[in-house]
Amino acid sequence: MVKAVVGDETQLNLAEDRLSQSGLTSQVGLVIGKLSSSLDRGFVYDLVPTPPNDAGEPACSLIETTTAATFKDDKKKGSKSKSQPADSSTLAIDRDWVAEHARQVSRMLVGGMNVVGIYVWISDSSFKNSTITLCQLLQTVKGVAEAAPIQETDYDKRLLIHISYSPRRWTCRNCILSSNITSSSIRPCDFKMGRVLSLLQTFKCTYNFKLSLPICQENTSKSSTLSAILRHGISVHAKELRNAIALIDGNLVVNEEPCSNEGLHEVELLLPFMKNTQAEACSQKDAVGVLIFSGSVCSFAYLNPKEPVSQAIADIKDDIIRSLQSRLDIICDEADEDPGPIGEDDREAIQPSEKPVSRLILCLLRKTCSLAFPRRLFIPWLAGTFICDYLQPSETPEVLKDHCVELMSMEALADASTILQPEVEAPPMVAKSFWNVGVPGHSASSFSVEKSRRIDTSGALSSTGNIKSINFKMLGAFFFLILSIFVGFLLLKRS
């Protein structure tokens, strides 16, 4: 739990002006920032309002709950109910929609930036006098935490910022989330405004990776689909990446001191030599192939100058893994609505192009297929910082403008040339075929996963062909040995 929260004064004042000029009586949105465990402090970079849902309805609204009986009682008591309409209003929030907004926004954030909670714009009386409103807010915070988890921070801690327009003031509370949320789950914390974004230090890393993921002989379940194998492989690689040694500007990171140098800092990650634990987990007897997933990821991270430099390394590592997971999520989101995988009986009748590639069961697949991963691009955000988005091979950078306007409430980009595309020059992908172990009824296929462009792959030899090739080579070697002995014997006899 953070003891104090500092919000960027420039951005939060702009947000307050925007809310006061909107004429709205209620609004809910996301808090973008960072919860620093090393400093025991939270930082708020900006507030992003949740857009209307697909039906065009706002994410929250005030519902009048005054009944006729209450009105008569107020009239008998001589109370002025018209002067205090908020006292009889309850806040209704579309929690699922706010959580979905948080999920999509979290994909656009880089290292050191997270969805750390929600904010709400309502009067002070509506916030304090309604238990239903408080429960709605806590449930919304919990849904946001589940949709946009933070790697290096405890899951059960988020922020709730209340901006009151009557009277005008800001309050911040810690939300301790659990299965049983009560009024004691919310606790006040110190909140102030100051310089935050302009002080951030920038770290950049280009990380080259190559994952060899064995394809095991399994039953026709979802666990053997391409998406499941990749998701498991990324999670295993995340554990290995935690042990990587880091160099910042060519210097080994060995202490917990803050980084005093300004400007852009280049980070290089060096993975220790490790055994292929995934290949060992799947024995040769059960394996029918290997999936090669390789490429390059460009990563940014932002660090408060008071935080130790090791935190920037941790943020870079988290950003790399989150970027790989986000690309896979995007592909799965765009896949066919039908969740059913391709079974044994359908594998020959259905062409790979007729089913989403992410749902294909690789151990049953006979056809050659390939999958293009989205590229990562970086869009200028606030005070020289960047956020990111992902571009499919068939898309142009122009589509990113709509995402930024809708999800991040940004003004439309006037010049697309300001978008950074560092992954355009990523190393070319190398497609490798499945290796065969003679599983009856299964022939190997070549499968490649790439991030920047689609490439074709060729089919591999069948297990029978491999065996024949090996036998032929052994027979040739045997005859060559016999011939060598015979020639040597003749030469020795002549001498």
Side-chain angles (χ1 to χ4, degrees):
M1 182 192 306
V2 296
K3 296 181 180 179
V5 176
V6 182
D8 188 82
E9 185 173 15
T10 301
Q11 290 305 126
L12 297 194
N13 284 337
L14 288 174
E16 184 177 0
D17 293 341
R18 181 192 71 234
L19 287 167
S20 61
Q21 296 171 10
S22 67
L24 298 173
T25 57
S26 65
Q27 188 183 85
V28 68
L30 307 178
V31 178
I32 309 300
K34 185 176 187 179
L35 301 180
S36 175
S37 57
S38 59
L39 300 180
D40 202 15
R41 180 175 296 184
F43 300 97
V44 175
Y45 304 147
D46 197 17
L47 306 181
V48 179
T50 298
N53 58 23
D54 294 336
E57 300 173 347
C60 74
S61 59
L62 284 174
I63 301 176
E64 195 72 25
T65 57
T66 302
T67 61
T70 304
F71 178 78
K72 291 180 180 180
D73 292 341
D74 290 341
K75 190 174 182 180
K76 290 179 180 179
K77 296 177 181 178
S79 62
K80 299 179 180 180
S81 59
K82 291 184 179 181
S83 63
Q84 295 178 338
D87 290 345
S88 57
S89 300
T90 300
L91 185 69
I93 304 178
D94 189 343
R95 292 174 290 179
D96 293 338
W97 185 248
V98 177
E100 175 61 22
H101 182 218
R103 187 180 73 90
Q104 296 192 37
V105 167
S106 65
R107 292 178 181 173
M108 303 180 69
L109 303 178
V110 299
M113 295 181 176
N114 299 101
V115 178
V116 296
I118 67 169
Y119 76 89
V120 61
W121 162 263
I122 53 175
S123 67
D124 198 50
S125 56
S126 295
F127 184 85
K128 291 182 177 179
N129 297 346
S130 175
T131 304
I132 298 178
T133 295
L134 185 59
C135 290
Q136 285 254 358
L137 290 170
L138 288 174
Q139 291 291 345
T140 304
V141 173
K142 184 178 180 180
V144 166
E146 293 173 347
I150 302 176
Q151 298 284 351
E152 289 296 319
T153 305
D154 293 341
Y155 155 76
D156 59 348
K157 297 177 178 63
R158 292 295 187 276
L159 301 179
L160 171 59
I161 294 180
H162 171 217
I163 312 168
S164 171
Y165 53 79
S166 178
R168 182 71 61 83
R169 64 184 175 190
W170 293 64
T171 56
C172 183
R173 293 168 173 82
N174 280 305
C175 295
I176 304 176
L177 308 176
S178 62
S179 57
N180 184 23
I181 296 179
T182 62
S183 57
S184 61
S185 302
I186 185 170
R187 301 176 185 177
C189 64
D190 295 333
F191 180 79
K192 63 179 181 180
M193 298 187 188
R195 294 178 60 197
V196 178
L197 283 169
S198 60
L199 298 177
L200 294 179
Q201 296 175 333
T202 306
F203 296 80
K204 180 183 178 181
C205 176
T206 300
Y207 177 70
N208 299 314
F209 68 96
K210 185 175 182 179
L211 306 182
S212 298
L213 311 176
I215 311 303
C216 300
Q217 174 62 31
E218 298 176 350
N219 54 11
T220 56
S221 64
K222 293 182 181 180
S223 62
S224 59
T225 60
L226 169 83
S227 58
I229 293 172
L230 277 178
R231 200 174 302 280
H232 175 70
I234 292 172
S235 64
V236 172
H237 186 66
K239 299 177 182 178
E240 299 175 352
L241 190 60
R242 307 288 181 202
N243 299 320
I245 299 173
L247 301 176
I248 296 182
D249 299 329
N251 300 317
L252 184 65
V253 178
V254 294
N255 53 48
E256 295 293 322
E257 295 295 324
C259 183
S260 57
N261 300 329
E262 297 182 356
L264 178 64
H265 301 283
E266 294 287 346
V267 177
E268 184 178 0
L269 298 178
L270 305 176
L271 278 175
F273 179 77
M274 301 180 68
K275 295 182 179 180
N276 193 336
T277 55
Q278 297 185 77
E280 291 180 354
C282 184
S283 65
Q284 184 179 2
K285 181 180 178 181
D286 297 329
V288 294
V290 62
L291 174 63
I292 304 298
F293 177 35
S294 61
S296 181
V297 174
C298 182
S299 172
F300 277 91
Y302 296 98
L303 185 74
N304 186 276
K306 294 183 179 180
E307 292 183 284
V309 68
S310 59
Q311 184 61 50
I313 303 303
D315 291 339
I316 283 283
K317 294 176 181 178
D318 288 339
D319 182 62
I320 292 171
I321 297 302
R322 186 168 61 181
S323 177
L324 293 177
Q325 292 173 338
S326 295
R327 299 175 208 233
L328 181 58
D329 290 340
I330 290 172
I331 292 175
C332 293
D333 288 347
E334 295 183 356
D336 192 6
E337 294 292 335
D338 180 16
I342 298 178
E344 175 76 25
D345 298 334
D346 302 326
R347 70 177 189 270
E348 294 190 11
I350 299 179
Q351 299 295 326
S353 59
E354 298 177 7
K355 269 286 186 180
V357 178
S358 61
R359 301 198 191 282
L360 296 179
I361 296 180
L362 298 186
C363 64
L364 300 180
L365 188 66
R366 294 178 179 269
K367 305 294 183 180
T368 298
C369 60
S370 62
L371 177 64
F373 260 49
R375 291 188 294 117
R376 193 182 200 186
L377 290 81
F378 296 91
I379 304 101
W381 192 41
L382 306 172
T385 63
F386 288 90
I387 57 175
C388 72
D389 206 348
Y390 298 92
L391 199 65
Q392 296 281 36
S394 59
E395 297 175 332
T396 64
E398 297 294 329
V399 303
L400 305 184
K401 297 181 180 180
D402 296 336
H403 296 172
C404 294
V405 172
E406 181 182 7
L407 297 177
M408 298 297 294
S409 191
M410 295 170 56
E411 296 182 359
L413 294 175
D415 187 5
S417 64
T418 59
I419 300 176
L420 299 183
Q421 304 185 46
E423 292 185 358
V424 171
E425 300 178 358
M429 300 299 299
V430 179
K432 294 189 177 182
S433 62
F434 282 11
W435 47 279
N436 297 273
V437 291
V439 178
H442 296 283
S443 62
S445 300
S446 178
F447 193 97
S448 80
V449 179
E450 63 172 348
K451 304 195 297 59
S452 59
R453 59 182 180 270
R454 184 180 301 273
I455 57 178
D456 295 328
T457 60
S458 57
L461 296 174
S462 66
S463 58
T464 304
N466 286 336
I467 295 174
K468 289 182 179 180
S469 176
I470 293 173
N471 291 338
F472 178 79
K473 291 179 181 179
M474 291 180 64
L475 186 61
F478 176 74
F479 280 112
F480 180 79
L481 178 62
I482 295 298
L483 180 61
S484 300
I485 295 174
F486 179 73
V487 172
F489 176 76
L490 291 178
L491 292 177
L492 181 62
K493 186 175 180 180
R494 289 182 179 182
S495 61

